[in-house]
Amino acid sequence: MIGLTGTSRLLKALADETRLRILHLLAQEELSGSDLMEILNMGQSRISTHLALLKEVGLVADRRHGRRVLYTVAPGPATGTWDTVLAENKSTPEFEADLAGLEALRDRRRGDARAYFDRVAATFGEQILPGRTWEGLARGVLQLASRGRYVDLGIGDGLLTLMLSEIALSVTAVDISSEMLAQLKARAETKGIRNIETVEGDIEDLPLPDASYDVAVLSQALHHAESPARALSEARRILIPGGRVLVIDLLAHTEEWVRDQLQHRHLGFTEAALEGLLTEAGFERAHIQRAARDPQPPNFMTLVATGVRPTR
């Protein structure tokens, strides 16, 4: 119950055409004061006065959204009276005109967004944009991957292993470094991840059983192998028929320093060479593409390759 005094104030608030029009618009969606000024073609002080009165009687609520304040019809006993007014007047010319103004506002917003993207289209890929990170993209795409038994061959910093664990039934992490595996186990325990098994071993001679995994991943690992062909043959051996391999590695380059400083055995691979390695290892439907170019010198290019173990 809102009481006699409250009812009187509520009725006075509703006894104004502009305030009724504001309520009608806010019943459609959240709007700012400037939005209402544009739709109703009224000044700021007038709109602000009406909004303050509507808030006072409990018909309107507001919330801060960045630098803007957005208004909406407030839930509560006071809205029952307003609902009746709306139902009886929804086809009035004033309300219909305001709906047309609201649609014009929406069109302008869409136009502003379109104009922005048209303006920056040529340089969009060079801009630093909020949320556009390779990790965020990878996590999103991984949600589309099938659940199954994954093996990560040569785990590096373990970040990909942890991401795979979010969608996999199980992940077996293989690395020649016991310290790398220990760091991964510690991070997994901190995050409460229970479906990662670590195995110390060489990716060219895997201590894993035949036909045991659905997906094998070699992310920036193949260029560390003495024999990439042997590493891929081992990946094929441990996959089930129809299992898939994913290789992420570097396009062939001439940066000799990576041999001594980063323990690279190979200076990347050409697309043709990587496709040949996959085919020779017994994979079908090999597909290789250039995925991304490092923006920092020496601008390494990343290749992404996939293949399927035959079912026959």
Side-chain angles (χ1 to χ4, degrees), residues 202-251:
D202 190 331
I203 64 173
E204 299 176 56
D205 186 18
L206 294 170
L208 301 173
D210 295 353
S212 300
Y213 299 95
D214 302 293
V215 180
V217 179
L218 295 101
S219 177
Q220 303 298 349
L222 205 58
H223 57 242
H224 288 290
E226 195 69 40
S227 172
R230 194 157 54 238
L232 287 172
S233 293
E234 279 289 87
R236 179 189 180 279
R237 177 182 65 80
I238 64 173
L239 285 171
I240 64 170
R244 295 169 295 155
V245 65
L246 168 66
V247 177
I248 304 171
D249 219 291
L250 298 177
L251 179 66

Short mmCIF file of all heavy atoms in Angstrom, two decimals, residues 202-251:
data_model
loop_
_atom_site.label_atom_id
_atom_site.label_comp_id
_atom_site.label_asym_id
_atom_site.label_seq_id
_atom_site.Cartn_x
_atom_site.Cartn_y
_atom_site.Cartn_z
N ASP A 202 59.52 -37.67 -24.64
CA ASP A 202 59.95 -37.04 -25.88
C ASP A 202 58.82 -37.18 -26.90
O ASP A 202 58.26 -38.27 -27.08
CB ASP A 202 61.21 -37.76 -26.38
CG ASP A 202 61.88 -37.03 -27.53
OD1 ASP A 202 61.19 -36.35 -28.30
OD2 ASP A 202 63.11 -37.16 -27.65
N ILE A 203 58.49 -36.09 -27.59
CA ILE A 203 57.39 -36.15 -28.55
C ILE A 203 57.74 -37.01 -29.75
O ILE A 203 56.86 -37.36 -30.54
CB ILE A 203 56.96 -34.74 -29.02
CG1 ILE A 203 58.09 -34.03 -29.78
CG2 ILE A 203 56.49 -33.91 -27.83
CD1 ILE A 203 57.66 -32.71 -30.41
N GLU A 204 59.03 -37.36 -29.92
CA GLU A 204 59.43 -38.24 -31.01
C GLU A 204 59.41 -39.71 -30.61
O GLU A 204 59.61 -40.59 -31.45
CB GLU A 204 60.82 -37.86 -31.51
CG GLU A 204 60.89 -36.45 -32.06
CD GLU A 204 62.30 -36.06 -32.45
OE1 GLU A 204 62.91 -36.78 -33.29
OE2 GLU A 204 62.82 -35.06 -31.93
N ASP A 205 59.18 -39.98 -29.34
CA ASP A 205 59.13 -41.36 -28.84
C ASP A 205 58.19 -41.37 -27.65
O ASP A 205 58.61 -41.48 -26.50
CB ASP A 205 60.53 -41.83 -28.45
CG ASP A 205 60.55 -43.30 -28.05
OD1 ASP A 205 59.60 -44.04 -28.40
OD2 ASP A 205 61.51 -43.71 -27.37
N LEU A 206 56.91 -41.28 -27.93
CA LEU A 206 55.92 -41.06 -26.89
C LEU A 206 55.67 -42.30 -26.03
O LEU A 206 55.42 -43.40 -26.58
CB LEU A 206 54.58 -40.62 -27.51
CG LEU A 206 54.59 -39.26 -28.22
CD1 LEU A 206 53.31 -39.05 -29.00
CD2 LEU A 206 54.79 -38.14 -27.20
N PRO A 207 55.70 -42.16 -24.71
CA PRO A 207 55.40 -43.29 -23.83
C PRO A 207 53.88 -43.42 -23.63
O PRO A 207 53.39 -43.47 -22.50
CB PRO A 207 56.11 -42.89 -22.53
CG PRO A 207 56.05 -41.40 -22.52
CD PRO A 207 56.14 -40.96 -23.95
N LEU A 208 53.16 -43.49 -24.74
CA LEU A 208 51.69 -43.52 -24.71
C LEU A 208 51.20 -44.67 -25.58
O LEU A 208 51.83 -45.01 -26.59
CB LEU A 208 51.11 -42.20 -25.21
CG LEU A 208 51.52 -40.92 -24.45
CD1 LEU A 208 50.99 -39.69 -25.17
CD2 LEU A 208 51.01 -40.96 -23.01
N PRO A 209 50.06 -45.26 -25.24
CA PRO A 209 49.54 -46.40 -26.00
C PRO A 209 48.96 -46.00 -27.36
O PRO A 209 48.57 -44.84 -27.56
CB PRO A 209 48.45 -46.97 -25.08
CG PRO A 209 48.03 -45.83 -24.22
CD PRO A 209 49.25 -44.98 -24.03
N ASP A 210 48.88 -46.96 -28.25
CA ASP A 210 48.29 -46.73 -29.57
C ASP A 210 46.81 -46.36 -29.44
O ASP A 210 46.11 -46.80 -28.52
CB ASP A 210 48.40 -47.99 -30.44
CG ASP A 210 49.84 -48.36 -30.76
OD1 ASP A 210 50.75 -47.58 -30.41
OD2 ASP A 210 50.05 -49.46 -31.33
N ALA A 211 46.35 -45.59 -30.43
CA ALA A 211 44.91 -45.32 -30.62
C ALA A 211 44.20 -44.96 -29.31
O ALA A 211 43.19 -45.56 -28.97
CB ALA A 211 44.25 -46.53 -31.28
N SER A 212 44.71 -43.97 -28.61
CA SER A 212 44.16 -43.63 -27.29
C SER A 212 43.56 -42.23 -27.20
O SER A 212 42.96 -41.90 -26.19
CB SER A 212 45.27 -43.75 -26.22
OG SER A 212 45.78 -45.05 -26.19
N TYR A 213 43.73 -41.42 -28.25
CA TYR A 213 43.31 -40.01 -28.16
C TYR A 213 42.49 -39.60 -29.38
O TYR A 213 42.65 -40.14 -30.47
CB TYR A 213 44.53 -39.10 -28.01
CG TYR A 213 45.33 -39.41 -26.76
CD1 TYR A 213 46.43 -40.27 -26.81
CD2 TYR A 213 44.96 -38.88 -25.54
CE1 TYR A 213 47.15 -40.58 -25.67
CE2 TYR A 213 45.67 -39.19 -24.38
CZ TYR A 213 46.76 -40.03 -24.45
OH TYR A 213 47.46 -40.35 -23.32
N ASP A 214 41.63 -38.63 -29.14
CA ASP A 214 40.79 -38.10 -30.22
C ASP A 214 41.47 -36.95 -30.95
O ASP A 214 41.28 -36.77 -32.16
CB ASP A 214 39.45 -37.60 -29.64
CG ASP A 214 38.71 -38.69 -28.91
OD1 ASP A 214 38.27 -39.64 -29.58
OD2 ASP A 214 38.55 -38.61 -27.67
N VAL A 215 42.23 -36.14 -30.22
CA VAL A 215 42.89 -34.98 -30.80
C VAL A 215 44.31 -34.88 -30.24
O VAL A 215 44.51 -34.98 -29.03
CB VAL A 215 42.13 -33.66 -30.50
CG1 VAL A 215 42.85 -32.46 -31.12
CG2 VAL A 215 40.69 -33.73 -30.99
N ALA A 216 45.29 -34.67 -31.14
CA ALA A 216 46.67 -34.42 -30.73
C ALA A 216 47.05 -33.01 -31.16
O ALA A 216 46.79 -32.60 -32.30
CB ALA A 216 47.61 -35.43 -31.38
N VAL A 217 47.64 -32.26 -30.24
CA VAL A 217 48.01 -30.87 -30.50
C VAL A 217 49.52 -30.71 -30.37
O VAL A 217 50.11 -31.15 -29.38
CB VAL A 217 47.30 -29.92 -29.50
CG1 VAL A 217 47.70 -28.47 -29.76
CG2 VAL A 217 45.79 -30.08 -29.60
N LEU A 218 50.14 -30.09 -31.37
CA LEU A 218 51.55 -29.71 -31.30
C LEU A 218 51.62 -28.21 -31.54
O LEU A 218 51.61 -27.76 -32.69
CB LEU A 218 52.40 -30.46 -32.33
CG LEU A 218 52.50 -31.98 -32.16
CD1 LEU A 218 51.56 -32.68 -33.14
CD2 LEU A 218 53.93 -32.44 -32.36
N SER A 219 51.65 -27.43 -30.48
CA SER A 219 51.65 -25.98 -30.59
C SER A 219 53.06 -25.45 -30.37
O SER A 219 53.60 -25.53 -29.26
CB SER A 219 50.69 -25.37 -29.57
OG SER A 219 50.74 -23.95 -29.62
N GLN A 220 53.66 -24.93 -31.43
CA GLN A 220 55.03 -24.40 -31.40
C GLN A 220 56.00 -25.43 -30.83
O GLN A 220 56.93 -25.09 -30.10
CB GLN A 220 55.09 -23.09 -30.60
CG GLN A 220 54.18 -22.00 -31.10
CD GLN A 220 54.51 -21.54 -32.52
OE1 GLN A 220 55.53 -21.87 -33.09
NE2 GLN A 220 53.61 -20.76 -33.11
N ALA A 221 55.76 -26.69 -31.15
CA ALA A 221 56.60 -27.78 -30.66
C ALA A 221 57.37 -28.46 -31.77
O ALA A 221 58.47 -28.98 -31.55
CB ALA A 221 55.74 -28.82 -29.93
N LEU A 222 56.81 -28.47 -32.97
CA LEU A 222 57.41 -29.26 -34.05
C LEU A 222 58.80 -28.72 -34.43
O LEU A 222 59.69 -29.50 -34.79
CB LEU A 222 56.49 -29.25 -35.28
CG LEU A 222 56.62 -30.42 -36.25
CD1 LEU A 222 56.37 -31.74 -35.54
CD2 LEU A 222 55.67 -30.26 -37.42
N HIS A 223 59.01 -27.41 -34.34
CA HIS A 223 60.34 -26.88 -34.71
C HIS A 223 61.40 -27.22 -33.67
O HIS A 223 62.59 -27.00 -33.89
CB HIS A 223 60.29 -25.36 -34.95
CG HIS A 223 59.79 -24.56 -33.80
ND1 HIS A 223 58.64 -23.80 -33.86
CD2 HIS A 223 60.27 -24.38 -32.54
CE1 HIS A 223 58.45 -23.18 -32.70
NE2 HIS A 223 59.42 -23.52 -31.88
N HIS A 224 60.99 -27.76 -32.51
CA HIS A 224 61.95 -28.21 -31.51
C HIS A 224 62.35 -29.68 -31.73
O HIS A 224 63.31 -30.15 -31.11
CB HIS A 224 61.37 -28.08 -30.10
CG HIS A 224 61.27 -26.66 -29.62
ND1 HIS A 224 62.37 -25.90 -29.32
CD2 HIS A 224 60.20 -25.87 -29.40
CE1 HIS A 224 61.98 -24.69 -28.91
NE2 HIS A 224 60.67 -24.65 -28.96
N ALA A 225 61.62 -30.40 -32.56
CA ALA A 225 61.87 -31.82 -32.76
C ALA A 225 63.08 -32.03 -33.66
O ALA A 225 63.24 -31.33 -34.67
CB ALA A 225 60.65 -32.50 -33.36
N GLU A 226 63.92 -32.99 -33.29
CA GLU A 226 65.04 -33.34 -34.16
C GLU A 226 64.52 -33.86 -35.49
O GLU A 226 65.03 -33.53 -36.56
CB GLU A 226 65.90 -34.40 -33.48
CG GLU A 226 67.27 -34.59 -34.11
CD GLU A 226 68.17 -33.38 -33.90
OE1 GLU A 226 68.17 -32.81 -32.79
OE2 GLU A 226 68.87 -33.01 -34.87
N SER A 227 63.44 -34.68 -35.40
CA SER A 227 62.81 -35.22 -36.60
C SER A 227 61.32 -34.91 -36.55
O SER A 227 60.55 -35.65 -35.93
CB SER A 227 63.04 -36.72 -36.71
OG SER A 227 62.26 -37.26 -37.77
N PRO A 228 60.87 -33.82 -37.19
CA PRO A 228 59.43 -33.52 -37.21
C PRO A 228 58.60 -34.66 -37.79
O PRO A 228 57.48 -34.90 -37.34
CB PRO A 228 59.35 -32.27 -38.10
CG PRO A 228 60.70 -31.63 -37.95
CD PRO A 228 61.66 -32.78 -37.84
N ALA A 229 59.16 -35.37 -38.77
CA ALA A 229 58.44 -36.49 -39.37
C ALA A 229 58.16 -37.57 -38.33
O ALA A 229 57.05 -38.14 -38.29
CB ALA A 229 59.23 -37.07 -40.54
N ARG A 230 59.13 -37.85 -37.49
CA ARG A 230 58.95 -38.87 -36.46
C ARG A 230 57.92 -38.41 -35.42
O ARG A 230 57.11 -39.20 -34.95
CB ARG A 230 60.29 -39.18 -35.80
CG ARG A 230 60.28 -40.44 -34.96
CD ARG A 230 61.67 -41.03 -34.78
NE ARG A 230 62.63 -40.08 -34.26
CZ ARG A 230 63.76 -39.72 -34.87
NH1 ARG A 230 64.07 -40.24 -36.05
NH2 ARG A 230 64.59 -38.86 -34.31
N ALA A 231 57.96 -37.12 -35.06
CA ALA A 231 56.99 -36.59 -34.09
C ALA A 231 55.57 -36.71 -34.63
O ALA A 231 54.64 -37.09 -33.90
CB ALA A 231 57.33 -35.14 -33.76
N LEU A 232 55.38 -36.43 -35.91
CA LEU A 232 54.04 -36.52 -36.48
C LEU A 232 53.60 -37.98 -36.62
O LEU A 232 52.42 -38.30 -36.45
CB LEU A 232 54.00 -35.82 -37.84
CG LEU A 232 54.04 -34.29 -37.79
CD1 LEU A 232 54.19 -33.70 -39.18
CD2 LEU A 232 52.78 -33.75 -37.12
N SER A 233 54.53 -38.87 -36.92
CA SER A 233 54.19 -40.30 -36.99
C SER A 233 53.75 -40.81 -35.62
O SER A 233 52.82 -41.62 -35.52
CB SER A 233 55.40 -41.10 -37.49
OG SER A 233 55.69 -40.78 -38.83
N GLU A 234 54.41 -40.35 -34.57
CA GLU A 234 54.02 -40.72 -33.22
C GLU A 234 52.63 -40.17 -32.88
O GLU A 234 51.82 -40.85 -32.25
CB GLU A 234 55.05 -40.22 -32.21
CG GLU A 234 56.27 -41.09 -32.08
CD GLU A 234 55.93 -42.40 -31.38
OE1 GLU A 234 55.52 -43.36 -32.09
OE2 GLU A 234 56.02 -42.49 -30.15
N ALA A 235 52.36 -38.95 -33.31
CA ALA A 235 51.03 -38.37 -33.08
C ALA A 235 49.96 -39.21 -33.77
O ALA A 235 48.89 -39.47 -33.21
CB ALA A 235 51.00 -36.93 -33.58
N ARG A 236 50.26 -39.64 -34.99
CA ARG A 236 49.30 -40.49 -35.71
C ARG A 236 49.08 -41.81 -34.99
O ARG A 236 47.96 -42.30 -34.88
CB ARG A 236 49.80 -40.75 -37.13
CG ARG A 236 48.86 -41.64 -37.94
CD ARG A 236 49.53 -42.05 -39.25
NE ARG A 236 48.65 -42.89 -40.05
CZ ARG A 236 48.49 -44.20 -39.87
NH1 ARG A 236 49.14 -44.82 -38.88
NH2 ARG A 236 47.67 -44.90 -40.65
N ARG A 237 50.15 -42.39 -34.47
CA ARG A 237 50.05 -43.69 -33.80
C ARG A 237 49.13 -43.65 -32.59
O ARG A 237 48.35 -44.59 -32.36
CB ARG A 237 51.45 -44.15 -33.35
CG ARG A 237 51.45 -45.46 -32.57
CD ARG A 237 52.84 -45.84 -32.10
NE ARG A 237 53.41 -44.90 -31.14
CZ ARG A 237 53.10 -44.89 -29.83
NH1 ARG A 237 52.21 -45.74 -29.33
NH2 ARG A 237 53.68 -44.01 -29.02
N ILE A 238 49.17 -42.59 -31.82
CA ILE A 238 48.39 -42.54 -30.58
C ILE A 238 46.96 -42.05 -30.79
O ILE A 238 46.16 -42.08 -29.87
CB ILE A 238 49.09 -41.67 -29.52
CG1 ILE A 238 49.16 -40.21 -29.97
CG2 ILE A 238 50.47 -42.22 -29.18
CD1 ILE A 238 49.67 -39.26 -28.90
N LEU A 239 46.65 -41.60 -32.03
CA LEU A 239 45.28 -41.16 -32.33
C LEU A 239 44.40 -42.34 -32.73
O LEU A 239 44.86 -43.30 -33.35
CB LEU A 239 45.28 -40.13 -33.46
CG LEU A 239 45.76 -38.72 -33.12
CD1 LEU A 239 45.91 -37.90 -34.38
CD2 LEU A 239 44.80 -38.05 -32.14
N ILE A 240 43.11 -42.24 -32.39
CA ILE A 240 42.16 -43.23 -32.86
C ILE A 240 41.92 -43.04 -34.34
O ILE A 240 42.18 -41.94 -34.88
CB ILE A 240 40.82 -43.11 -32.09
CG1 ILE A 240 40.16 -41.76 -32.37
CG2 ILE A 240 41.02 -43.32 -30.59
CD1 ILE A 240 38.74 -41.63 -31.87
N PRO A 241 41.44 -44.05 -35.07
CA PRO A 241 41.04 -43.83 -36.46
C PRO A 241 40.00 -42.71 -36.54
O PRO A 241 39.03 -42.69 -35.78
CB PRO A 241 40.44 -45.18 -36.86
CG PRO A 241 41.13 -46.17 -35.97
CD PRO A 241 41.32 -45.46 -34.65
N GLY A 242 40.24 -41.76 -37.40
CA GLY A 242 39.37 -40.59 -37.48
C GLY A 242 39.81 -39.47 -36.55
O GLY A 242 39.23 -38.38 -36.58
N GLY A 243 40.83 -39.72 -35.72
CA GLY A 243 41.34 -38.69 -34.83
C GLY A 243 42.03 -37.58 -35.60
O GLY A 243 42.49 -37.78 -36.73
N ARG A 244 42.16 -36.41 -35.00
CA ARG A 244 42.69 -35.24 -35.69
C ARG A 244 43.95 -34.73 -35.03
O ARG A 244 44.10 -34.81 -33.81
CB ARG A 244 41.64 -34.12 -35.71
CG ARG A 244 40.38 -34.47 -36.53
CD ARG A 244 39.30 -33.46 -36.29
NE ARG A 244 38.85 -33.49 -34.89
CZ ARG A 244 38.28 -32.46 -34.27
NH1 ARG A 244 38.13 -31.32 -34.89
NH2 ARG A 244 37.89 -32.60 -33.01
N VAL A 245 44.84 -34.18 -35.85
CA VAL A 245 46.04 -33.53 -35.35
C VAL A 245 45.94 -32.04 -35.66
O VAL A 245 45.44 -31.64 -36.72
CB VAL A 245 47.32 -34.12 -35.98
CG1 VAL A 245 47.38 -33.86 -37.48
CG2 VAL A 245 48.56 -33.58 -35.28
N LEU A 246 46.39 -31.22 -34.71
CA LEU A 246 46.45 -29.77 -34.90
C LEU A 246 47.90 -29.34 -34.68
O LEU A 246 48.47 -29.60 -33.62
CB LEU A 246 45.54 -29.05 -33.91
CG LEU A 246 45.72 -27.53 -33.79
CD1 LEU A 246 45.33 -26.84 -35.09
CD2 LEU A 246 44.89 -26.98 -32.62
N VAL A 247 48.48 -28.71 -35.68
CA VAL A 247 49.85 -28.21 -35.59
C VAL A 247 49.83 -26.70 -35.70
O VAL A 247 49.25 -26.15 -36.65
CB VAL A 247 50.75 -28.80 -36.70
CG1 VAL A 247 52.16 -28.20 -36.62
CG2 VAL A 247 50.80 -30.32 -36.61
N ILE A 248 50.42 -26.03 -34.73
CA ILE A 248 50.60 -24.58 -34.78
C ILE A 248 52.10 -24.33 -34.74
O ILE A 248 52.77 -24.72 -33.79
CB ILE A 248 49.91 -23.88 -33.59
CG1 ILE A 248 48.43 -24.23 -33.54
CG2 ILE A 248 50.10 -22.36 -33.69
CD1 ILE A 248 47.72 -23.75 -32.28
N ASP A 249 52.63 -23.73 -35.80
CA ASP A 249 54.08 -23.55 -35.85
C ASP A 249 54.41 -22.32 -36.69
O ASP A 249 53.51 -21.57 -37.11
CB ASP A 249 54.77 -24.80 -36.40
CG ASP A 249 56.08 -25.07 -35.67
OD1 ASP A 249 57.03 -24.28 -35.85
OD2 ASP A 249 56.13 -26.05 -34.91
N LEU A 250 55.70 -22.12 -36.94
CA LEU A 250 56.16 -20.92 -37.63
C LEU A 250 56.36 -21.17 -39.12
O LEU A 250 56.83 -22.23 -39.53
CB LEU A 250 57.49 -20.45 -37.03
CG LEU A 250 57.47 -20.04 -35.56
CD1 LEU A 250 58.88 -19.66 -35.11
CD2 LEU A 250 56.51 -18.90 -35.32
N LEU A 251 56.01 -20.17 -39.90
CA LEU A 251 56.35 -20.19 -41.31
C LEU A 251 57.87 -20.07 -41.43
O LEU A 251 58.53 -19.43 -40.59
CB LEU A 251 55.69 -19.01 -42.02
CG LEU A 251 55.95 -18.85 -43.52
CD1 LEU A 251 55.34 -20.02 -44.30
CD2 LEU A 251 55.40 -17.52 -44.02
#
